[in-house]
Structure formats: C-alpha cells, structure tokens
C-alpha cells in the first residue's frame, strides 16, 4: 500500500523510517535530506535527455523515453530498496512528490513492500520546512571575542557540561577567516549546509538555551539561514577579552602543523588589506617558522575587523568578560558561572 504523508508528519515520527531519494545524482549532490539514500530513477545524462525531449517534442515522448531508461533497472530498484528498508516501512521522495516518487513507490508496493510512504511536495516541501523551522523563536547564547580566543574549543567544553551547542564552523567546514579552509574538507553547498544544520537543530530542545559562536552571515562560501541569522543579530553577545599574546600562541598551536605553503596562500588572500610591509614581515616570520609572530601580525588586522563589525550591534549588545588565557576548560567554567550570576 502507498500512502502520502507531509514532511511535517515524516519528522514527527519517533523513529524516522528509511528514506529514499529518487532524484538524479546531480540533484542529490546539490542538496538532500540527511537521512536520504539516493536510488536515482535516472542518471544525470538521462534526466537531461528526457528534459530535452519534453521541451522539443512532447510530454508523451518524454514519458516514453523515461520508461525506456527505467525498465532495465526495475530489479535493481527493488534490491537497493530492500537493503535500505531492512524489513521496515519505507518513505520515498523526489523533487515535488510527482511522477518519479509515486511511480517508484508503486513499484515497491507491487513487489512485496507492504508499507510505502511518499512525501507530499517532495524535496521542495522539505526545503520550505527547513527554512521556516529556523524562524522559530529560540533563546540563543552567542559567544564572541577576538580571533584566537578559542571560542570553538570553549563551546565544546560548554557542551560537555550539559549545555546545548551547535558548531556552525564544523558544519560549514570552514573557520570563517582567510585561514578558515586550512585543515577542512571541501565545503558543502549552501543548500546542504542548511540541511545539515537543520538535522542538528531539530534534535535540540528549543525550549532551552542554545549556544552559538558569533559569526558573519557567510562562513566561507555558505551562509547561515536568514531566520536564524536575524535571531543571532538580535541577541546580546558575550565578548571574550583575552590578551593578544595568548591568542597568538593558540593560533600558532592550531595552525602551525598544516605547512607553510597553505599559511602563505592564506596570507596572500588578505595581502591588500594587510599592507605591503605587514605581508613582507609575515612571510619573513613564516620562513623562519616564527608562527606566533605571524599570528600577531594577522591579529592586528582581524582585531580591527572584528571591532568594526561589532559596531553594527551597538555597545549595549556586548557583554565583556576578561579572561587571562585561552584555557578552554577553565574558561568554559567561568563563562557558565558568569551567565548564572547575571
């Protein structure tokens, strides 16, 4: 039996049923539901061919071509779906919950799958659901501070202490600066970043505070969903004020192991903003493996940049907390105590 369910109903399940995405590999790579396994009806080339026939000839001929491509794969669809389902009910979706998902689901139902669901509106409905989800009002706790303050390290310690936290930079595969791609995997698409963020976000208790790092709207090439971004900008920021020398030491520790070539490339990205003398000095220090001196030069630029960005918030949105060093464990404890006393 084939049943239609909404995307809201799908995510309201206590345990999500296995999910099959029948769109082409190209569509899937651009963005997909985190749980979805791709069993494409058509390859990228086949989908393009069908689209061309639809435009240049007729819908009927396009559908006929589609059947020609699908027929040799029918047994493969059953075998792959059985691996995904493992005897459980199964859910199917395509782009808009149309012919692709319904035909696939009916094929499964006709061949031994007793409980098959199709998501009404497909992936398009899911995307609307995701973006609207981030507009739900939540209590955010935003941790800010100059570059090198160890904010990400602190946030993970705060999570270990039982607080809710999302590491936006980990999901983005980027640390947000010219050096942000060093040591990271390739960034996801904007769409997939939002999908992955939703997957983490939906597991949280939205009635309790959620800790985030103070970020620009864009983290590398991806951006924070607008609904969440607006809420982040409305919140006060707990700003960590840590001595520059301490921060430079932490940056040297975090980045020195990736090789001078990558560091030089990142310095060149912001060369115009650093100025010729600073670039030359930084590259000289880098050649001598004096990483803390390189970091101090970079911080001269990044500290000014951060201060400029904070002016948009206004002084009344910044709560300053002075800390002596970058010890993430001790700093996490002090932050929690500081918040509890406010």
């Amino acid at each position: 039996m084939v049943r239609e369910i909404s995307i809201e109903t799908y995510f309201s399940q206590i345990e999500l049923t296995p999910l099959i995405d029948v769109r082409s590999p190209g569509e899937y790579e651009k963005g997909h539901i985190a749980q979805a396994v791709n069993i494409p009806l058509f390859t990228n080339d086949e989908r393009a061919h069908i689209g061309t026939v639809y435009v240049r000839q007729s819908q009927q001929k396009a559908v006929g071509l589609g059947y020609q491509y699908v027929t040799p794969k029918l047994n493969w669809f059953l075998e792959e779906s059985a691996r995904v389902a493992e005897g459980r009910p199964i859910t199917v979706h395509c782009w808009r919950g149309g012919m692709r998902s319904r035909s696939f689901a009916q094929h499964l139902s006709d061949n031994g799958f007793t409980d098959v669901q199709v998501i009404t509106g497909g992936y398009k409905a899911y995307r609307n659901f995701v973006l609207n989800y981030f507009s739900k009002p939540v209590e955010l706790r935003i941790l800010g501070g100059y570059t090198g303050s160890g904010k990400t390290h602190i946030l993970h310690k705060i999570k270990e202490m039982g607080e809710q936290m999302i590491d936006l930079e980990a999901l983005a595969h980027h640390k947000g600066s010219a050096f942000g791609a060093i040591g990271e995997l390739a960034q996801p698409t904007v769409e997939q970043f939002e999908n992955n963020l939703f997957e983490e976000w939906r597991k949280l208790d939205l009635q309790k505070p959620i800790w985030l790092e103070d970020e620009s709207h864009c983290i590398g090439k991806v951006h924070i969903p607008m609904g969440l971004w607006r809420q982040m900008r409305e919140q006060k920021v707990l700003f960590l004020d840590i001595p520059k020398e301490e921060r430079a030491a932490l940056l040297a520790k975090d980045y020195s192991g990736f090789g001078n070539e990558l560091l030089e490339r990142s310095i060149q990205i912001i060369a115009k903003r650093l100025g010729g003398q600073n670039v030359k000095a930084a590259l000289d220090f880098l050649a001598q493996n004096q990483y803390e001196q390189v970091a101090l030069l970079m911080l001269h630029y990044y500290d000014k940049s951060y201060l400029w960005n904070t002016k948009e918030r206004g002084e009344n949105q910044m709560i300053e907390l002075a800390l002596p060093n970058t010890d993430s464990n001790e700093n996490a404890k002090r932050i929690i105590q500081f918040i509890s006393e406010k």
Side-chain angles (χ1 to χ4, degrees):
M1 181 179 72
V2 177
R3 295 182 291 116
E4 291 202 5
I5 62 168
S6 68
I7 192 65
E8 291 83 1
T9 299
Y10 178 78
F11 280 108
S12 69
Q13 299 174 106
I14 296 174
E15 183 177 350
L16 298 183
T17 56
L19 181 62
I20 293 175
D21 182 339
V22 301
R23 297 175 302 150
S24 66
E27 292 173 285
Y28 181 86
E29 288 167 12
K30 181 183 177 184
H32 59 268
I33 302 173
Q35 297 80 16
V37 176
N38 190 211
I39 304 178
L41 273 178
F42 307 116
T43 67
N44 295 335
D45 289 342
E46 288 168 351
R47 178 172 175 262
H49 187 196
I50 292 167
T52 300
V53 169
Y54 182 91
V55 171
R56 295 182 180 178
Q57 298 184 39
S58 68
Q59 179 182 6
Q60 184 179 2
K61 289 194 175 182
V63 170
L65 179 60
Y67 279 120
Q68 289 179 39
Y69 281 135
V70 161
T71 300
K73 308 174 190 177
L74 291 176
N75 285 335
W76 180 75
F77 293 154
L78 297 174
E79 292 168 359
E80 292 300 302
S81 298
R83 290 192 185 96
V84 174
E86 296 181 332
R88 294 168 290 172
I90 198 161
T91 304
V92 180
H93 80 84
C94 59
W95 167 234
R96 287 187 296 187
M99 186 175 182
R100 284 188 289 178
S101 57
R102 290 194 178 103
S103 297
F104 193 99
Q106 192 61 53
H107 177 56
L108 297 185
S109 181
D110 291 342
N111 288 276
F113 289 76
T114 57
D115 193 351
V116 185
Q117 302 174 146
V118 173
I119 293 179
T120 306
Y123 181 73
K124 185 177 182 180
Y126 164 77
R127 286 291 298 158
N128 290 332
F129 176 69
V130 165
L131 296 178
N132 289 333
Y133 199 86
F134 287 118
S135 297
K136 292 183 178 182
V138 290
E139 181 183 351
L140 299 177
R141 290 182 176 169
I142 309 297
L143 187 65
Y146 293 122
T147 299
S149 297
K151 297 184 289 293
T152 300
H153 299 307
I154 293 170
L155 284 173
H156 281 275
K157 292 295 181 183
I158 287 175
K159 184 177 182 179
E160 290 174 11
M161 296 168 68
E163 297 287 320
Q164 296 190 123
M165 181 275 289
I166 294 287
D167 187 342
L168 294 170
E169 292 180 353
L171 291 172
H173 298 312
H174 201 283
K175 299 181 185 71
S177 70
F179 298 80
I182 294 178
E184 298 287 347
L185 299 172
Q187 286 198 270
T189 64
V190 172
E191 211 169 276
Q192 193 57 45
F193 169 72
E194 292 171 343
N195 294 350
N196 293 342
L197 176 56
F198 165 75
E199 181 59 20
E200 297 302 312
W201 200 261
R202 74 177 185 84
K203 298 172 185 175
L204 303 178
D205 183 347
L206 301 188
Q207 302 305 312
K208 296 180 179 179
I210 300 167
W211 286 85
L212 298 172
E213 184 172 339
D214 188 25
E215 302 282 0
S216 300
H217 186 209
C218 294
I219 308 175
K221 294 179 180 179
V222 304
H223 56 68
I224 298 168
M226 190 55 69
L228 175 57
W229 169 246
R230 289 195 184 103
Q231 293 194 66
M232 290 175 68
R233 298 301 288 180
E234 291 169 359
Q235 300 295 319
K236 292 187 177 182
V237 176
L238 179 58
F239 181 86
L240 306 182
D241 186 7
I242 298 175
K244 185 179 290 187
E245 291 73 19
E246 293 287 332
R247 293 185 284 119
L250 179 62
L251 289 171
K253 179 182 176 183
D254 284 350
Y255 285 96
S256 60
F258 291 108
N260 290 2
E261 183 178 344
L262 288 176
L263 294 173
E264 179 177 348
R265 196 179 304 164
S266 296
I267 291 169
Q268 296 292 359
I269 291 174
I270 54 173
K272 289 184 179 179
R273 285 170 282 177
L274 284 173
Q277 282 188 320
N278 287 331
V279 171
K280 183 181 183 305
L283 295 179
D284 287 344
F285 283 132
L286 185 61
Q288 301 167 45
N289 296 331
Q290 295 187 40
Y291 299 110
E292 288 190 30
Q293 294 302 317
V294 176
L296 283 169
L297 283 168
M298 297 302 104
L299 288 177
H300 180 69
Y301 160 71
Y302 278 112
D303 285 2
K304 287 196 299 183
S305 177
Y306 192 93
L307 277 177
W308 176 260
N309 289 332
T310 58
K311 289 180 180 178
E312 295 179 4
R313 290 181 178 273
E315 292 182 7
N316 62 337
Q317 279 191 289
M318 309 300 290
I319 305 171
E320 188 173 302
L321 176 60
L323 297 170
N325 54 48
T326 58
D327 184 327
S328 58
N329 194 48
E330 288 302 313
N331 288 347
K333 292 177 183 177
R334 290 192 62 177
I335 288 167
I336 294 299
Q337 181 179 357
F338 182 79
I339 291 295
S340 67
E341 293 172 353
K342 284 289 180 181

